[in-house]
Amino acid sequence: MAEEEVELEARLQEQESFDPPESFVEQANVSEPAIYEEFEENWPESWERAADLLDWYDDYDTVLDDSDAPFYKWFKEGTLNASHECLDRHLDDRGDEVAIEWVGELGETRTYTYAELHREVNEFAAALRELGVEEDDVVTMYMPMIPELPIAMLACARIGAPHSVVFAGFSADALATRMTSADSEYLVTCDGYYRRGDALEHKAKANEGLDGVDHDVTGIVVDRLGDEYDHPMRDDDHDYGDLVAAQAGAEVEPVERGAEDMLFLMYTSGTTGQPKGVKHTTGGYLSYVSWTSHAVLDVKPEDTYWCAADIGWITGHSYIVYGPLSLGTTSVMYEGTPDYPEKDRMWEIVEDYDVTQLYTAPTAIRAFMKWGKQYPEKRDLSSLRLLGTVGEPINPRAWKWYYKHIGGESCPIVDTWWQTETGGMMITTLPGIGTMKPGSAGPPLPGIGAEIVDTNGDEVGAGRAGYLTVDKPWPGMLRTLYKNDERFLSEYWEEYSDPDADEWVYFPEDGAKIDDDGYITVLGRVDDVINVSGHRLGTMEIESAIVGVEGVAEAAVVGGDHDLKGEAVYAYVITEDGYEGDADLEARIIEGVEDAIGPIARPEAVIFTPELPKTRSGKIMRRLLEDIANGDELGDTSTLRNPEVVEDIANKVGE
Ligand code: PRX
């Protein structure tokens, strides 16, 4: 390295705060610091600013109705349609501009202008109607990153049918559980897709899932692989291409939906083994993702914006589909992996399309760092104006690498904390205003109330770790868990609320600390949820898959630190009498987890042990198992019933 560069590197590593570049501030959608006070002083009416980004049919009469808290209602009596907001209203001015730039893994591309996307969404909406889909029927989608996925989502939105997208990497069992829970009688899926150049079958997996659903399901199958793969169709299946062709030129009037009507369901993991069906609404959710795309991602219609997430997760819903399209911009959608065919694939796409904003996850940034700066250096990344991260804490070193080697030290970075349940971003700097501090997400967004408290709900001082809480409602919040109000109350509102005083505090189940200047550093989950490569997995779900394997008596799953993935799955397993903890059982355990959930939940290590460390009351000491997985100094073992077992397990992991 040249001397100058060494100096620059050293300066960067020491620097603790970064101001947004002047050139960015000058053009930012939001650059007046007064916005924080404006929201505060005029709350909740200040949220009209978000609703004003949409084109409502009927105006709402109340911004926030908290009469039945925590079942809040936003923008009551307002009516709108999400497909109209994302398509129709852009047609006059931007019909010929690009809505979706799709890049397939093998290098093929597809471009949809707003007019073209509008046309196909209408045709598919007409086809869904013809198949019998009615307003409020839940339509499940089990699809990889192909354009037909957002098309199907918008077609559902058009006819008022909520969608439930199941990540394509989830297993057949996971699909069955979600379809059963949502009483969903329609499934849009595809024959297969490409991963690292190979065709992967998908339809047989979908069929296997449907075998586990008790009610009848009408299927719609997109032919992604063409002749390469002869996919097994069921009697109740229809070919997507045929359906759309039969509706050529059809127009479907968007259904007028109430602000509080459900737009979609998204299943996510929680403390128990049963996934939670998070319900998002049309008015509040759409206003919120539109507002945060505008204020935080600085999206403008003329941008080419790229969120490199998967639409199967909330990030893709909010910031590939609904946020950017509601603002009429160009949203890039990439089917494949970042290292295929070469490790510069992401940078090639940025260069080819002149991408202006890139929003990705720390796990990806850590991988880019490991591969080396020579890959981004090969490409012209000067079109980039803003960078973002989401999904897990980002360590300062990775933040600085991203800042320097991708952003060329001229792009602000927004480190955005939020969750499936929050619908959109909650804690982050505003890129046109806030100083950035690597590793710390920043202050809560204007209008968002966040506090760090101890177990009694009292605020903790600066620098001390506590629990993150949200003490004001916000438009993008989940409204309930599908058909399970009780669980909604107990999961999120029991811990810190005081119902007698009508005081409601949302608990996201994250630990955090706050600095003197109000910047929040999110430390990670405090429940039994682990975050593997930004994917949220419930340890209970994995444990129940493992104990379902023949020969397993008991299992405890924890998250251990992992350089690239953030966290990895560690499974401690006790075998049944007569079974050996050998390679065969390990392979069956891994298979069991992949079948029940999917390859993302595959254990990094399976550790066979005769006992698990338990307290005198019989509770498994997970903290200790985490310490062992991380090779950390072991905490206090004196409260254990069986302290001797700890060393045995630690030795095994060390082997
Ligand atoms: O622990 C937090 C972590 O991801 C969890 C939410 O996961 P999920 O619902 O799958 O949504 C992920 C995408 C929004 C949170 O409870 N998390 C998310 N963003 C951050 C984060 N942790 C630290 N910093 C972030 N920026």
Side-chain angles (χ1 to χ4, degrees):
M1 235 192 273
E3 206 172 305
E4 240 170 72
E5 210 177 317
V6 175
E7 254 174 52
L8 188 73
E9 200 79 43
R11 173 184 58 69
L12 200 62
Q13 287 312 331
E14 272 170 28
Q15 195 173 338
E16 284 181 357
S17 67
F18 296 76
D19 286 323
E22 206 43 51
S23 55
F24 182 91
V25 176
E26 276 164 15
Q27 61 77 62
N29 285 343
V30 177
S31 57
E32 286 301 325
I35 190 166
Y36 287 94
E37 283 99 71
E38 282 168 23
F39 260 88
E40 194 68 36
E41 283 162 14
N42 193 26
W43 196 95
E45 279 71 30
S46 38
W47 281 112
E48 288 188 31
R49 195 189 283 253
D52 283 349
L53 291 171
L54 303 181
D55 178 27
W56 299 74
Y57 296 137
D58 278 349
D59 258 352
Y60 48 88
D61 61 12
T62 325
V63 172
L64 170 66
D65 173 359
D66 59 3
S67 57
D68 191 23
F71 297 95
Y72 295 97
K73 294 179 185 66
W74 286 89
F75 309 125
K76 236 173 77 179
E77 305 302 331
T79 63
L80 74 170
N81 180 286
S83 159
H84 165 83
E85 301 291 347
C86 291
L87 300 170
D88 305 47
R89 67 166 169 147
H90 306 312
L91 292 181
D92 282 349
D93 292 343
R94 306 193 47 77
D96 294 333
E97 303 294 331
V98 177
I100 294 180
E101 283 289 8
W102 179 79
V103 183
E105 195 179 73
L106 299 186
E108 73 270 52
T109 59
R110 274 200 252 164
T111 299
Y112 290 82
T113 62
Y114 273 94
E116 287 162 344
L117 193 63
H118 177 260
R119 182 191 158 111
E120 192 155 330
V121 165
N122 270 277
E123 291 168 348
F124 190 52
L128 286 173
R129 276 237 174 106
E130 186 119 336
L131 287 175
V133 180
E134 289 179 6
E135 199 173 345
D136 293 321
D137 286 347
V138 176
V139 177
T140 301
M141 283 143 213
Y142 187 43
M143 288 160 106
M145 289 285 283
I146 54 177
E148 288 80 3
L149 175 53
I151 288 169
M153 291 161 73
L154 292 168
C156 281
R158 199 165 188 88
I159 59 173
H163 51 74
S164 166
V165 179
V166 177
F167 175 58
F170 273 138
S171 68
D173 282 2
L175 172 67
T177 315
R178 286 157 178 76
M179 288 198 74
T180 302
S181 160
D183 299 322
S184 176
E185 295 177 352
Y186 300 90
L187 175 69
V188 190
T189 185
C190 69
D191 55 346
Y193 53 105
Y194 292 102
R195 262 301 165 276
R196 298 211 154 77
D198 295 327
L200 283 192
E201 75 77 22
H202 190 62
K203 180 64 170 89
K205 195 165 76 160
N207 286 359
E208 197 190 319
L210 292 178
D211 288 343
V213 177
D214 283 339
H215 55 259
D216 290 340
V217 174
T218 302
I220 298 144
V221 186
V222 177
D223 187 357
R224 161 78 184 106
L225 300 179
D227 295 337
E228 191 149 349
Y229 175 64
D230 189 14
H231 50 280
M233 294 285 268
R234 302 168 317 132
D235 289 347
D236 289 344
D237 285 342
H238 304 261
D239 177 74
Y240 173 93
D242 291 346
L243 291 178
V244 167
Q247 298 293 343
E251 295 224 1
V252 173
E253 193 62 27
V255 169
E256 213 169 309
R257 297 282 280 170
E260 282 295 313
D261 285 344
M262 172 156 61
L263 178 60
F264 67 86
L265 262 183
M266 165 124 262
Y267 282 89
T268 188
S269 296
T271 305
T272 72
Q274 199 57 24
K276 309 190 271 197
V278 169
K279 175 183 162 180
H280 282 296
T281 56
T282 312
Y285 170 84
L286 202 63
S287 305
Y288 198 68
V289 296
S290 206
W291 162 248
T292 45
S293 298
H294 169 83
V296 182
L297 297 169
D298 201 48
V299 168
K300 300 173 175 40
E302 54 280 9
D303 283 337
T304 301
Y305 153 90
W306 183 15
C307 166
D310 192 296
I311 296 177
W313 306 99
I314 192 70
T315 307
H317 278 53
S318 301
Y319 299 112
I320 297 178
V321 183
Y322 288 113
L325 297 184
S326 71
L327 295 176
T329 195
T330 299
S331 186
V332 176
M333 193 179 158
Y334 175 49
E335 178 187 35
T337 37
D339 57 349
Y340 184 86
E342 288 297 335
K343 294 191 173 71
D344 67 342
R345 189 63 194 270
M346 301 271 298
W347 321 125
E348 184 185 16
I349 295 173
V350 170
E351 181 179 72
D352 286 355
Y353 290 92
D354 288 328
V355 170
T356 39
Q357 292 99 327
L358 176 68
Y359 189 34
T360 187
T363 186
I365 298 166
R366 290 191 295 269
F368 303 147
M369 233 170 111
K370 186 169 159 241
W371 298 338
K373 62 178 191 212
Q374 65 276 21
Y375 295 103
E377 273 174 0
K378 277 195 342 207
R379 301 288 178 175
D380 178 4
L381 307 183
S382 59
S383 57
L384 287 170
R385 185 172 88 238
L386 172 138
L387 301 174
T389 86
V390 57
E392 42 171 334
I394 180 163
N395 54 311
R397 216 165 81 81
W399 192 103
K400 288 174 185 176
W401 191 92
Y402 195 35
Y403 184 72
K404 176 161 192 269
H405 296 290
I406 308 304
E409 295 186 70
S410 61
C411 299
I413 296 182
V414 285
D415 172 0
T416 60
W417 176 87
W418 57 291
Q419 311 179 294
T420 306
E421 291 87 340
T422 68
M425 302 156 177
M426 300 286 280
I427 301 175
T428 170
T429 50
L430 281 169
I433 299 176
T435 298
M436 298 162 274
K437 298 205 292 183
S440 170
L445 281 172
I448 299 296
E451 274 182 3
I452 315 300
V453 301
D454 61 19
T455 37
N456 299 321
D458 297 324
E459 260 182 86
V460 303
R464 282 189 37 225
Y467 301 98
L468 177 60
T469 56
V470 183
D471 60 3
K472 273 193 203 137
W474 65 100
M477 67 196 302
L478 81 165
R479 295 304 193 268
T480 191
L481 293 176
Y482 191 57
K483 294 194 177 159
N484 203 341
D485 289 349
E486 229 165 85
R487 188 168 177 201
F488 168 70
L489 291 171
S490 67
E491 292 264 357
Y492 306 107
W493 304 97
E494 214 157 64
E495 206 83 22
Y496 294 106
S497 301
D498 182 357
D500 295 336
D502 202 22
E503 276 172 21
W504 297 95
V505 177
Y506 172 83
F507 182 40
E509 311 222 40
D510 269 329
K513 64 185 173 66
I514 190 161
D515 291 350
D516 288 332
D517 54 8
Y519 274 50
I520 294 174
T521 299
V522 178
L523 302 167
R525 304 284 305 192
V526 294
D527 56 358
D528 296 328
V529 166
I530 55 182
N531 194 329
V532 179
S533 303
H535 300 323
R536 179 167 157 184
L537 301 169
T539 51
M540 289 273 285
E541 281 173 78
I542 308 176
E543 282 168 11
S544 76
I546 296 177
V547 294
V549 173
E550 190 190 325
V552 173
E554 202 180 341
V557 165
V558 298
D561 297 341
H562 190 279
D563 280 354
L564 286 180
K565 299 177 184 170
E567 279 188 289
V569 175
Y570 278 75
Y572 296 87
V573 174
I574 303 179
T575 56
E576 268 176 1
D577 283 351
Y579 285 89
E580 285 291 312
D582 54 14
D584 171 59
L585 184 55
E586 179 176 341
R588 287 192 293 112
I589 288 172
I590 289 173
E591 200 188 312
V593 173
E594 291 193 349
D595 284 351
I597 303 165
I600 42 166
R602 184 191 168 99
E604 185 77 14
V606 177
I607 303 124
F608 293 104
T609 168
E611 271 185 78
L612 291 167
K614 288 191 177 160
T615 60
R616 282 175 220 286
S617 60
K619 268 184 80 173
I620 298 172
M621 283 273 274
R622 288 166 187 282
R623 282 264 159 256
L624 224 45
L625 293 174
E626 281 169 19
D627 289 345
I628 295 174
N630 295 336
D632 287 347
E633 183 118 351
L634 299 180
D636 183 12
T637 57
S638 61
T639 54
L640 288 183
R641 190 167 64 188
N642 51 354
E644 67 290 346
V645 67
V646 174
E647 207 160 308
D648 284 357
I649 306 179
N651 287 339
K652 281 202 161 189
V653 174
E655 272 166 16

